[in-house]
C-alpha cells in the first residue's frame, strides 16, 4: 500500500481568510450602526421625550461601539427645560389661585342680595338694621344719587340662609317707598382693610368725611375746597385723587363739624366744573400724609 505523504498545513493560514472576512463583516456592522440616530422618530413615537424617560437615560452614556450616538443635552437645552418646568409650575399655581378666587366670589354672590327703590333718606345703618332680622349682615352698600328714589344697595350676609330669607322682605316699606329685593348678580367689592378706621378717633373722623366722585379733571383741589366750604362749612382736610385711566377724579373731604358732612350729602347732583358730582358718606378717614425722611 503506497504511503501517503503528509503535508504539514499551517493552521494559521487556513483560518486567516475566514477570520479576515469575519473581522471585516463585524467592523462593517459597527460602522453602519454608529451612523444611526437612536433618537430618530423612526425608533421612538412622537410622544416620547428623552428628558422624562429614566429607563433610557443610560443609553446616552454608551460609546459608539455600543451602536449609540452620544446625545448629551447642551447647557442651552438644560436652561430651556428648567424654564419650562418653572413656567408649568407657575401656571399651575396661578390656575389654583384663580379657581380659589372665583369660588370665593361665587360664594359671596350667593350670600348677597340686591335692593332697589331705596328712599333718599334711608341710611346704610337703617337698611342694615332692617335686614339684620334675616341673619348677620357683614356689609351694606347704598349706591346712586341720594336725591333719587332709584337708589339701590347690596347687602351681604354671613351665610346663604340669610340671603334667601332676605328675599321675603321685598315689598317692605322703608321710608316712603316699598323696596325690591332680588338675588344679586355681583359681589360687593371689598374695602381695603388698611383704609378702614382703626380707632374711635378715626371713626369720629369718618362721621365728618364725605366721599365725592365724578369730579371734572379740570377742577383744582382749591376749587373743590371752596365749593364745599361755601355750601357746607369749614373743610379741615381734602384728598383729591385721579389717574390717566379714568376720565374723572374722586375726593375725600373732611369737615370740621359732622353737621357739615350731612349738609354736603345734599350737594350730590350739583355741578362742579362741567360734571354733576356724587357725594356719599365715607367709609375711610383722611389720614395725614406720612413724610419720609430724605435719603442721603
Amino acid at each position: 500500500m503506497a504511503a501517503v505523504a503528509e503535508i504539514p498545513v499551517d493552521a494559521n493560514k487556513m483560518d486567516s481568510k475566514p477570520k479576515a472576512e469575519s473581522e471585516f463583516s463585524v467592523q462593517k456592522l459597527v460602522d453602519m450602526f454608529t451612523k444611526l440616530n437612536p433618537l430618530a422618530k423612526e425608533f421612538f413615537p412622537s410622544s416620547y421625550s428623552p428628558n422624562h424617560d429614566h429607563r433610557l437615560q443610560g443609553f446616552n452614556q454608551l460609546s459608539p461601539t455600543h451602536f449609540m450616538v452620544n446625545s448629551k443635552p447642551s447647557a442651552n437645552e438644560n436652561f430651556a427645560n428648567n424654564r419650562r418646568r418653572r413656567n408649568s409650575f407657575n401656571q399651575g399655581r396661578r390656575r389654583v389661585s384663580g379657581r380659589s378666587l372665583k369660588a370665593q366670589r361665587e360664594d359671596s354672590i350667593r350670600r348677597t342680595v340686591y335692593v332697589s327703590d331705596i328712599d333718599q333718606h334711608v341710611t346704610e345703618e337703617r337698611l342694615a338694621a332692617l335686614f339684620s332680622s334675616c341673619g348677620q349682615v357683614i356689609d351694606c352698600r347704598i349706591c346712586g344719587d341720594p336725591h333719587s328714589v332709584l337708589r339701590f344697595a347690596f347687602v351681604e350676609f354671613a351665610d346663604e340662609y340669610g340671603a334667601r330669607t332676605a328675599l321675603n322682605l321685598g315689598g317692605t316699606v322703608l321710608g316712603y317707598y316699598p323696596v325690591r329685593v332680588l338675588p344679586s348678580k355681583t359681589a360687593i367689592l371689598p374695602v381695603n382693610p388698611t383704609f378702614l378706621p382703626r380707632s374711635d378717633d378715626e371713626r369720629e373722623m369718618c362721621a365728618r368725611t364725605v366721599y365725592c366722585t365724578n369730579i371734572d379733571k379740570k377742577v383744582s383741589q382749591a376749587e373743590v375746597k371752596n365749593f364745599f366750604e361755601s355750601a357746607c362749612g369749614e373743610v379741615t382736610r381734602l384728598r383729591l385723587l385721579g389717574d390717566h385711566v379714568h376720565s374723572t377724579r374722586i375726593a375725600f373731604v373732611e369737615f370740621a363739624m359732622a353737621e357739615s358732612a350731612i349738609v354736603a350729602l345734599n350737594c350730590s347732583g350739583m355741578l362742579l366744573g362741567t360734571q354733576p358730582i356724587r357725594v356719599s358718606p365715607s367709609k375711610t378717614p383722611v389720614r395725614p400724609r406720612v413724610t419720609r425722611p430724605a435719603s442721603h
Side-chain angles (χ1 to χ4, degrees):
M1 188 172 180
V4 179
E6 293 183 358
I7 302 173
V9 179
D10 190 350
N12 293 330
K13 291 182 178 180
M14 292 182 63
D15 297 339
S16 61
K17 187 175 181 180
K19 185 175 180 181
E21 292 180 356
S22 176
E23 287 178 353
F24 174 76
S25 300
V26 172
Q27 186 60 41
K28 187 176 180 181
L29 288 174
V30 170
D31 293 340
M32 291 172 59
F33 282 124
T34 54
K35 294 178 181 178
L36 296 178
N37 180 9
L39 297 182
K41 64 181 180 179
E42 290 86 357
F43 289 83
F44 295 98
S46 58
S47 60
Y48 166 76
S49 174
N51 295 320
H52 301 291
D53 194 340
H54 302 287
R55 294 173 300 176
L56 297 175
Q57 284 180 351
F59 284 138
N60 290 336
Q61 301 173 357
L62 296 178
S63 63
T65 57
H66 290 82
F67 320 122
M68 297 295 290
V69 176
N70 187 6
S71 58
K72 199 170 184 178
S74 64
N76 290 335
E77 290 174 347
N78 283 332
F79 174 76
N81 292 335
N82 291 336
R83 198 165 88 175
R84 276 195 292 269
R85 281 194 289 269
R86 285 198 302 270
N87 290 342
S88 298
F89 174 76
N90 291 334
Q91 289 172 2
R93 187 165 56 183
R94 283 195 294 268
R95 282 195 295 269
V96 171
S97 61
R99 286 195 294 267
S100 177
L101 290 174
K102 183 180 180 181
Q104 291 177 7
R105 186 167 59 250
E106 290 175 350
D107 175 66
S108 179
I109 292 173
R110 288 192 295 269
R111 293 184 286 104
T112 304
V113 295
Y114 169 77
V115 187
S116 62
D117 295 348
I118 300 174
D119 191 306
Q120 62 182 2
H121 299 291
V122 174
T123 62
E124 289 181 345
E125 291 75 16
R126 187 177 174 186
L127 184 65
L130 171 68
F131 285 98
S132 62
S133 61
C134 305
Q136 181 185 358
V137 175
I138 61 176
D139 203 350
C140 178
R141 305 278 181 91
I142 293 181
C143 313
D145 188 345
H147 297 295
S148 172
V149 295
L150 298 178
R151 287 200 303 163
F152 58 93
F154 296 92
V155 181
E156 183 179 349
F157 293 87
D159 51 40
E160 294 182 40
Y161 176 79
R164 288 195 298 267
T165 306
L167 299 177
N168 298 324
L169 293 182
T172 302
V173 177
L174 189 61
Y176 294 100
Y177 302 94
V179 296
R180 297 173 57 204
V181 185
L182 299 169
S184 178
K185 295 182 179 179
T186 59
I188 297 177
L189 183 66
V191 177
N192 190 328
T194 60
F195 296 154
L196 295 176
R198 304 169 187 168
S199 62
D200 291 338
D201 289 340
E202 289 194 341
R203 278 185 278 275
E204 190 271 335
M205 290 168 61
C206 282
R208 295 185 284 109
T209 305
V210 296
Y211 171 64
C212 183
T213 62
N214 204 44
I215 300 174
D216 191 334
K217 273 197 169 182
K218 296 179 181 179
V219 175
S220 66
Q221 182 162 317
E223 289 174 321
V224 175
K225 183 177 181 181
N226 291 335
F227 173 84
F228 281 105
E229 282 192 331
S230 62
C232 310
E234 181 186 356
V235 174
T236 55
R237 194 176 288 127
L238 187 147
R239 190 69 48 78
L240 184 62
L241 305 171
D243 54 34
H244 298 291
V245 177
H246 299 86
S247 59
T248 58
R249 295 196 286 180
I250 64 172
F252 293 89
V253 185
E254 180 188 304
F255 294 93
M257 305 292 292
E259 290 79 8
S260 298
I262 296 173
V263 175
L265 297 177
N266 296 322
C267 295
S268 191
M270 293 184 179
L271 286 178
L272 179 56
T274 60
Q275 300 285 344
I277 59 172
R278 293 191 291 271
V279 185
S280 59
S282 177
K283 294 181 181 294
T284 62
V286 182
R287 296 190 179 101
R289 294 185 184 274
V290 178
T291 56
R292 298 180 180 178
S295 59
H296 300 287

